[in-house]
């Protein structure tokens, strides 16, 4: 069966890293097109396929576009269901995984941003908030190697792109991720040992450079 | 083992009523517990310690939170009368539209209610744009789910019912028949379904409630 899979995205997007990891885990071949949205170079194709949302990444499978990383990752999991299941088969555990990715969506990005957009007392409050969130996530790991227990799962794929932002967070806010959340950092390093992850993560120095611009 | 299914919700929360709608559509028996959010029950705090919000569905003692997650859980556990499409691409689209409503339309609707007069107009124009996009998705169908209501319709009841009430109270019309004829028709069809009627707050009580909330908010923000 001829499959055409195209991924439209822009390199520092941590959301797209999730999609790349999921595709790699499933061994799906795809074509990658870089859309530099910051340069205002939104391609006609992007607007055509994604008029409602205007956000990247967009996966195009056999001409059908899908956007939003949570939706794309679940789609990839359902279509290429022959290997590396990313979601548990049990509905209750699946629900828990979705609750945690929802939590990550709502909390982590904004908490991270506040670390470099605030100063003084506000920044101290932001740091407290930030670590509360990461410690909550760390608590969810329990004693397992991954959020997906034995293997990389939906929550791991969802959270791990933030690993390349740790260096930026630490630099901008003078904090230590390992100091506060050692188990989480250990988890991140464990994930990064997987080829699907290491090949999809952006170099952390590039991210710091991008943030400092 | 006997199934034990409990739903913690409130009569006026669109999020808990949508879960009720899904359960009723599938004919699943459940025990409903009405929560007073000013006086939360120990059960609610136990089952949803992080957010302490409704709805919470407790199935055989195990809690599930977040209405969209609960809807998917219900669909995956009780497979009769499916509310999500079977095809992965159609499912992805349904999830997209549900998120579009939750993450784009709802926050903007709140802004319409809460913004100052001069900002209101700008926000209303933005709302019109989003609603047009959503309306486009109906595309000749009776419902977002096709011939019968599905996941997106269930999620969108907030627009069909709750928006209408708030708009009546604050005097801002978003979904008018002239501007959104297709969406308007969908709202009429949706509200005529018996099981949907059972999951909507009584109109007068709802209007009184919204009026009181808006007045309370105004008092809070009024200069001393």
């Amino acid at each position: 069966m001829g499959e055409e899979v195209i991924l439209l995205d822009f390199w520092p997007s941590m959301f797209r890293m999730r999609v790349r990891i999921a595709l790699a885990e499933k061994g799906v071949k795809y074509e990658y097109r870089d859309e530099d949205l910051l340069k205002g170079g939104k391609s006609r194709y992007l607007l055509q396929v994604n008029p409602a949302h205007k956000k990247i990444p967009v996966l195009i499978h056999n001409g059908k576009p899908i956007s939003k990383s949570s939706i794309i990752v679940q789609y990839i999991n359902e279509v290429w269901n022959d290997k590396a299941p990313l979601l548990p088969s049990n509905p209750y555990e699946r629900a828990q995984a979705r609750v945690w990715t929802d939590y990550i969506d709502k909390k982590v990005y904004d908490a991270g941003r506040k670390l470099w957009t605030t100063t003084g007392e506000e920044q101290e409050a932001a740091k407290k908030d930030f670590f509360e969130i990461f410690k909550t996530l760390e608590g969810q790991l329990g004693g397992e190697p991954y959020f997906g227990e034995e293997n990389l799962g939906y929550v791991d794929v969802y959270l791990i792109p933030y690993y390349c932002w740790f260096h930026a967070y630490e630099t901008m806010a003078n904090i230590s991720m390992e100091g506060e959340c050692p188990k989480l950092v250990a988890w991140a390093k464990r994930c990064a040992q997987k080829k699907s992850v290491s090949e999809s993560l952006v170099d952390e120095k590039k991210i710091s450079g991008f943030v400092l611009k | 083992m006997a199934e034990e299914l409990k739903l913690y919700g409130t009569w006026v929360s669109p999020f808990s009523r949508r879960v009720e709608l899904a359960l009723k559509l599938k004919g699943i028996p459940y025990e409903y517990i009405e929560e007073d959010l000013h006086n939360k029950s120990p059960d609610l705090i136990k089952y949803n310690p992080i957010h302490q919000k409704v709805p919470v569905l407790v199935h055989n003692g195990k809690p599930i939170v977040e209405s969209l997650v609960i809807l998917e859980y219900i669909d995956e556990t009780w497979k009769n009368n499916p509310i999500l499409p079977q095809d992965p691409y159609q499912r992805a689209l349904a999830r997209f539209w549900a998120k579009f409503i939750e993450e784009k339309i709802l926050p903007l609707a709140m802004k319409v209610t809460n913004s100052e007069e001069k900002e209101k107009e700008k926000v209303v124009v933005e709302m019109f744009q989003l609603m047009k996009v959503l309306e486009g998705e109906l595309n000749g169908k009776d419902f977002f789910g096709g011939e019968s209501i599905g996941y997106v319709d269930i999620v969108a009841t907030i627009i069909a019912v709750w928006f209408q009430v708030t708009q009546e109270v604050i005097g801002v019309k978003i979904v008018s028949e002239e501007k959104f004829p297709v969406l308007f028709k969908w709202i009429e069809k949706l509200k005529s379904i018996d099981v949907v009627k059972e999951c909507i707050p009584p109109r007068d009580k709802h209007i009184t409630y919204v009026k009181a909330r808006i007045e309370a908010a105004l008092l809070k923000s009024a200069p001393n």
Side-chain angles (χ1 to χ4, degrees):
Chain A
M1 169 173 68
E3 298 267 16
E4 190 198 52
V5 183
I6 301 170
L7 179 61
L8 288 183
D9 75 51
F10 172 41
W11 75 261
S13 159
M14 65 183 85
F15 308 100
R16 67 95 179 187
M17 286 186 249
R18 293 171 181 150
V19 176
R20 295 191 73 189
I21 295 170
L23 288 169
E25 279 287 300
K26 300 279 186 175
V28 177
K29 286 201 171 60
Y30 63 96
E31 185 194 323
Y32 165 81
R33 289 189 200 155
D34 203 330
E35 291 285 317
D36 190 344
L37 289 173
L38 282 188
K39 283 211 183 101
K42 279 191 197 181
S43 82
R44 254 189 59 235
Y45 193 24
L46 184 67
L47 286 174
Q48 231 171 50
V49 301
N50 203 8
H53 221 86
K54 291 183 185 151
K55 239 187 189 165
I56 43 85
V58 179
L59 185 82
I60 305 171
H61 183 205
N62 292 335
K64 297 180 289 191
I66 310 140
S67 66
K68 279 198 90 43
S69 56
S70 60
I71 296 176
I72 296 172
V73 172
Q74 288 187 82
Y75 175 81
I76 291 169
N77 189 51
E78 287 166 17
V79 171
W80 290 278
N81 56 12
D82 51 337
K83 68 186 258 209
L86 295 173
L87 274 138
S89 50
N90 171 291
Y92 183 72
E93 285 167 31
R94 261 220 284 279
Q96 298 314 305
R98 288 181 178 130
V99 166
W100 287 108
T101 53
D102 200 53
Y103 180 84
I104 293 164
D105 252 346
K106 292 194 171 120
K107 300 271 188 185
V108 179
Y109 183 74
D110 286 340
R113 262 199 105 235
K114 283 213 177 99
L115 292 181
W116 65 74
T117 54
T118 57
T119 51
E121 246 183 67
E122 252 198 285
Q123 199 191 43
E124 289 306 307
K127 287 186 200 177
K128 203 164 156 261
D129 207 30
F130 178 82
F131 280 122
E132 214 182 278
I133 292 164
F134 272 95
K135 284 184 174 152
T136 303
L137 288 165
E138 192 182 47
Q140 278 310 298
L141 261 177
E144 305 283 1
Y146 303 103
F147 289 94
E149 294 185 9
E150 292 302 308
N151 282 301
L152 268 193
Y154 186 40
V155 181
D156 302 277
V157 171
Y158 221 71
L159 187 60
I160 193 60
Y162 283 101
Y163 183 41
C164 18
W165 286 74
F166 285 8
H167 185 253
Y169 294 148
E170 289 178 333
T171 313
M172 298 306 287
N174 196 24
I175 53 175
S176 163
M177 293 300 293
E178 187 137 26
E180 296 281 341
C181 306
K183 267 173 81 182
L184 197 74
V185 173
W187 159 82
K189 290 184 176 159
R190 194 177 300 130
C191 288
Q193 284 178 350
K194 292 200 160 237
K195 201 156 162 264
S196 60
V197 175
S198 60
E199 287 182 354
S200 305
L201 291 187
V202 172
D203 174 24
E204 60 182 10
K205 302 251 166 39
K206 272 188 170 172
I207 300 252
S208 304
F210 170 73
V211 170
L212 287 164
K213 245 196 273 187
Chain B
M1 174 176 66
E3 290 268 25
E4 194 200 53
L5 193 62
K6 292 186 186 181
L7 174 64
Y8 294 82
T10 67
W11 64 276
V12 77
S13 159
F15 309 104
S16 77
R17 302 303 319 239
R18 56 168 72 139
V19 172
E20 280 184 75
L21 181 51
L23 290 170
K24 285 189 200 276
L25 279 168
K26 290 183 180 262
I28 304 164
Y30 62 97
E31 185 195 335
Y32 176 74
I33 297 112
E34 175 74 24
E35 278 288 327
D36 174 2
L37 294 179
H38 297 293
N39 188 16
K40 295 172 186 177
S41 73
D43 266 354
L44 182 67
I45 298 171
K46 173 173 99 174
Y47 289 129
N48 192 1
I50 297 181
H51 300 296
Q52 297 181 12
K53 281 172 22 179
V54 293
V56 181
L57 187 73
V58 184
H59 188 201
N60 294 330
K62 296 198 283 197
I64 305 116
V65 301
E66 299 293 326
S67 64
L68 295 188
V69 176
I70 297 173
L71 290 177
E72 293 223 30
Y73 175 80
I74 290 171
D75 210 36
E76 287 170 6
T77 308
W78 292 275
K79 300 205 193 270
N80 64 311
N81 296 2
I83 54 182
L84 273 151
Q86 301 299 310
D87 171 70
Y89 185 67
Q90 294 303 319
R91 230 196 335 267
L93 286 181
R95 285 175 177 145
F96 174 82
W97 289 109
K99 288 251 164 189
F100 184 77
I101 293 167
E102 292 289 278
E103 293 173 6
K104 297 283 169 197
I105 294 184
L106 293 200
L108 205 58
M110 286 197 55
K111 254 177 120 177
V112 170
T113 311
N114 298 329
S115 57
E116 302 280 316
E117 277 312 308
K118 42 196 172 121
E119 238 217 62
K120 237 195 245 289
E121 232 190 270
K122 188 167 147 257
V123 181
V124 167
V125 168
E126 261 188 85
M127 266 296 268
F128 283 148
Q129 288 170 348
L130 292 185
M131 298 300 277
K132 255 305 161 203
V133 172
L134 183 66
E135 189 184 49
E137 192 45 29
L138 274 169
N139 199 22
K141 298 181 290 189
D142 274 351
F143 301 104
F144 291 99
E147 286 169 29
S148 55
I149 65 173
Y151 182 63
V152 180
D153 302 276
I154 295 171
V155 172
T157 43
I158 190 170
I159 295 172
V161 177
W162 277 261
F163 276 24
Q164 301 290 65
V165 169
T166 307
Q167 283 162 40
E168 191 176 307
V169 172
I170 65 174
V172 174
K173 201 146 175 93
I174 303 281
V175 188
S176 66
E177 197 171 358
E178 304 78 52
K179 274 205 158 72
F180 300 99
V182 176
L183 208 59
F184 198 79
K185 242 170 108 192
W186 164 78
I187 292 175
E188 307 255 281
K189 283 202 197 97
L190 188 74
K191 283 161 91 166
S192 68
I193 299 172
D194 282 336
V195 69
V196 173
K197 286 190 215 171
E198 291 172 30
C199 300
I200 293 176
R203 194 173 164 78
D204 291 338
K205 199 175 168 197
H206 195 179
I207 289 178
T208 309
Y209 175 86
V210 173
K211 271 201 179 125
R213 272 195 79 168
I214 290 179
E215 273 163 22
L218 281 172
L219 278 171
K220 251 184 156 173
S221 62
N224 277 346

